[in-house]
Amino acid sequence: MTGTDIPGAGAPHPGGPEHFALDSVHTGLLDCVQVNLAVLADHHHGAGTHLRAGAALEFRTWKRPDGLPTVEPPPDEQLRTLPAPLGLRIARRERLTGAGLLAAAARRGSTHYVIADSFRLPWLPYHGQAHMEHSFLLAAGPGGWHITDAYRSETSWGPAVPGRWVLQDADLAGIESADTVEIVPGELPPLTALPPVLTADADAVRAYLGAYETWPDRARAVEQLTVETWLLARGRRLHAKYRELFTGRSGPGEAEEAQLRAWDKVVEQTYLAHRRVARGRAEPPQLVDRLREVLAADLELHTEPAAEPGVPDEALRRRVAAVAGAVLGVPEAELLAGAAFDSFASFGSFRLIEIIERVEDDLGTEFAAADLVPENLRRVDDLCRIAR
């Protein structure tokens, strides 16, 4: 490979392609399809936007070509569901040969989001070693083809690390075909509510675990299980970061952090089991049982408890504070800390009426007339209680 990491990254090349910063992206929490969509999201909408990729916490499976189930969505599913929540829009998508990919990139002069076989991508440790669908950003520029790839992972052939490279035609000649996507900025949806809690069909979980327990080729089953536990653990850490973004917390709660550590232990145990089986040694017992236990704990942890009487949930408080803060022109943080509406100089009867009407519209509800008395209308938590 004749390309090298781009020197002086941080300023775009004059007249060249866009420069995509990577520092804001939690690259270790994203799979190889998500991660470069994340780069585009932060580029267009600001640091942290990519965490919206972790909004949904769910357990879904798809069938792999070898018949084993996987929690990894196919690229088509990811491209169908991910761009809109990240404030992105697909303007064009086509399957091109390697030569067609380069011709299109040169002709259009824009950055392309590309998914191709990792076996053919020379900057990856998978090059010449493993076949899997992998994304990167491609643009024509000074000195050759400018590649941006934020993917980070440890592999059997060395680490995959985020970077930028300038390659020549010969370096990319091995790409036989690629999914080529032009992605443009779209409208970024507001953070108005936390997503539904984790849901998982019990039969689907049993079928998934049963397949890995009974698969006749144990080496293959354990090998794929290392990928599965890694994907599941990454997804949970990404969701924890999303919850921090939404709630404004500085980190996960104690129970959530303990569960994330439990996931890390399952990943470690599964990888060690794979290494032993690959060397012809016995498979450690109860491997799938550990995964079963941590999945069950996930459901228990992320099943939303009923709110205590009179105590509003955090998502509702933030929605009401956002409305009141906008009407009064004051920081939401002060309202969430308990400041009374009438403690601000901008408050007045007309402002209170506007707050009530806008909260009703936002929540799709109507306050009971009997609740509209002064003692119920002083603070964010007061409105939350009568809105329940």
Side-chain angles (χ1 to χ4, degrees):
M1 181 174 69
T2 59
T4 58
D5 193 41
I6 296 175
H13 291 269
E18 293 176 279
H19 170 74
F20 297 100
L22 306 181
D23 292 345
S24 71
V25 179
H26 290 75
T27 55
L29 303 181
L30 298 152
D31 67 35
C32 58
V33 174
Q34 294 171 331
V35 71
N36 291 306
L37 289 173
V39 172
L40 293 173
D42 278 21
H43 179 72
H44 290 302
H45 298 292
T49 304
H50 71 283
L51 295 176
R52 295 162 184 251
L57 184 63
E58 57 186 358
F59 182 90
R60 295 179 62 194
T61 63
W62 291 263
K63 184 174 286 189
R64 289 177 40 80
D66 61 9
L68 279 166
T70 181
V71 294
E72 183 174 23
D76 282 351
E77 176 71 8
Q78 301 241 45
L79 289 178
R80 184 183 69 83
T81 59
L82 270 179
L86 296 179
L88 303 173
R89 182 172 62 83
I90 293 177
R92 181 198 301 261
R93 182 182 177 189
E94 52 193 340
R95 191 77 184 180
L96 298 174
T97 65
L101 164 65
L102 299 184
R107 183 174 66 253
R108 295 171 188 155
S110 58
T111 298
H112 287 66
Y113 171 92
V114 181
I115 298 178
D117 185 356
S118 62
F119 193 88
R120 308 291 182 180
L121 306 181
W123 63 91
L124 292 173
Y126 304 114
H127 181 233
Q129 301 288 348
H131 296 277
M132 63 188 71
E133 296 290 277
H134 187 93
S135 77
F136 60 96
L137 303 178
L138 171 72
W145 298 103
H146 289 233
I147 304 289
T148 300
D149 186 356
Y151 187 59
R152 183 187 299 277
S153 183
E154 295 294 329
T155 82
S156 300
W157 308 282
V161 295
R164 306 172 189 87
W165 298 265
V166 177
L167 307 185
Q168 306 306 310
D169 285 10
D171 299 318
L172 302 178
I175 299 177
E176 296 174 351
S177 67
D179 207 357
T180 309
V181 189
E182 287 186 60
I183 296 179
V184 298
E187 183 178 351
L188 184 66
L191 286 176
T192 55
L194 281 167
V197 294
L198 174 64
T199 58
D201 181 86
D203 290 338
V205 174
R206 280 194 293 269
Y208 174 81
L209 295 170
Y212 282 96
E213 278 183 317
T214 61
W215 201 254
D217 184 346
R218 297 311 302 158
R220 178 69 196 102
V222 176
E223 178 185 33
Q224 183 59 33
L225 202 58
T226 64
V227 178
E228 299 298 308
T229 55
W230 174 81
L231 288 167
L232 287 163
R234 272 195 171 193
R236 270 95 187 122
R237 285 206 173 271
L238 180 61
H239 181 69
K241 283 292 182 185
Y242 171 80
R243 294 185 74 89
E244 290 178 33
L245 173 71
F246 179 81
T247 63
R249 297 180 314 185
S250 59
E254 184 177 342
E256 189 174 16
E257 181 57 42
Q259 178 67 0
L260 293 173
R261 289 196 299 269
W263 270 110
D264 290 342
K265 290 178 182 177
V266 170
V267 172
E268 180 179 312
Q269 180 185 17
T270 307
Y271 180 73
L272 290 173
H274 165 54
R275 296 288 292 179
R276 291 183 64 82
V277 172
R279 298 176 65 183
R281 298 183 179 179
E283 178 183 335
Q286 301 179 328
L287 186 62
V288 177
D289 283 343
R290 286 291 302 275
L291 178 56
R292 180 180 287 108
E293 289 170 5
V294 78
L295 278 172
D298 256 12
L299 285 168
E300 183 175 347
L301 177 65
H302 293 290
T303 297
E304 192 169 22
E308 297 177 27
V311 179
D313 65 75
E314 191 62 25
L316 178 59
R317 294 184 76 244
R318 289 177 65 89
R319 291 178 71 173
V320 172
V323 171
V327 171
L328 297 175
V330 300
E332 295 174 31
E334 294 186 30
L335 296 169
L336 288 168
F341 300 147
D342 58 8
S343 66
F344 298 99
S346 55
F347 180 81
S349 299
F350 289 110
R351 296 288 78 78
L352 178 60
I353 293 169
E354 186 178 356
I355 290 171
I356 292 169
E357 291 177 348
R358 287 179 60 174
V359 167
E360 288 178 322
D361 289 343
D362 184 70
L363 299 179
T365 189
E366 182 178 343
F367 294 144
D371 288 330
L372 297 179
V373 294
E375 57 267 29
N376 288 343
L377 308 174
R378 289 178 52 79
R379 295 178 172 83
V380 164
D381 286 351
D382 296 335
L383 294 187
C384 289
R385 291 188 184 97
I386 65 174
R388 300 185 67 82

